[in-house]
Amino acid sequence: MELKKIVHVDDDEDIRTIVQIAIETVGEMGLVQFPNGAAALQGIRNTDPDMFVFDVMMPEMTGQKLREEIGKIPGYEHVPTVYVTAKAEDSFTKQLRSEGALAVITKPFDPMTLADTLREIWRDHHNA
């Protein structure tokens, strides 16, 4: 099973642009992006993603809260989630993983390797 489509949510327009280049151009995968949790909840239906990539710190709704809300939508409860955060403490990363995160990527990340990193996380998840 191949990683083909990612839903990415981040309130920072520059980060969304970098991720778009990293995923679509470099990684040659499909990407759907939203600027915040509310927009994601409204637009997520029919996106059929293989993976979610959420920023943690966003105004109004954190990445974790967004994941919790999306988990209530039938068919989306088991879509694996990767968080991206500038908050790199080990304890915070462990907390996110204990809450079900597949992985945590620290900002700043290398846009040239982001797609490969996500594919590796995907493969590890499916081979576990």
Side-chain angles (χ1 to χ4, degrees):
M1 196 167 172
E2 190 183 341
L3 178 61
K4 294 180 182 168
K5 190 173 191 182
I6 294 171
V7 167
H8 174 239
V9 182
D10 197 306
D11 60 304
D12 185 320
E13 187 177 351
D14 292 337
I15 298 288
R16 285 195 312 274
T17 300
I18 291 166
V19 169
Q20 181 178 14
I21 292 165
I23 300 301
E24 290 183 338
T25 306
V26 177
E28 297 180 338
M29 288 184 273
L31 179 70
V32 177
Q33 292 182 304
F34 299 100
N36 56 54
L41 286 172
Q42 286 179 346
I44 198 105
R45 295 191 198 309
N46 303 317
T47 57
D48 196 28
D50 296 315
M51 178 186 282
F52 293 126
V53 177
F54 294 159
D55 183 21
V56 172
M57 306 298 282
M58 295 185 286
E60 297 168 34
M61 188 183 304
T62 65
Q64 300 101 297
K65 181 66 177 165
L66 173 58
R67 182 67 195 112
E68 184 183 319
E69 292 301 313
I70 286 178
K72 297 174 185 174
I73 301 171
Y76 290 84
E77 56 273 80
H78 300 297
V79 175
T81 304
V82 173
Y83 290 103
V84 181
T85 183
K87 189 176 176 184
E89 293 90 23
D90 280 347
S91 60
F92 186 62
T93 298
K94 284 180 184 156
Q95 176 193 336
L96 289 172
R97 291 192 67 118
S98 74
E99 293 171 1
L102 209 52
V104 180
I105 296 173
T106 306
K107 290 179 186 178
F109 53 83
D110 181 351
M112 297 310 292
T113 61
L114 179 63
D116 286 341
T117 300
L118 292 173
R119 281 191 179 102
E120 191 175 308
I121 291 165
W122 175 258
R123 275 194 300 273
D124 290 349
H125 170 66
H126 284 293
N127 293 331

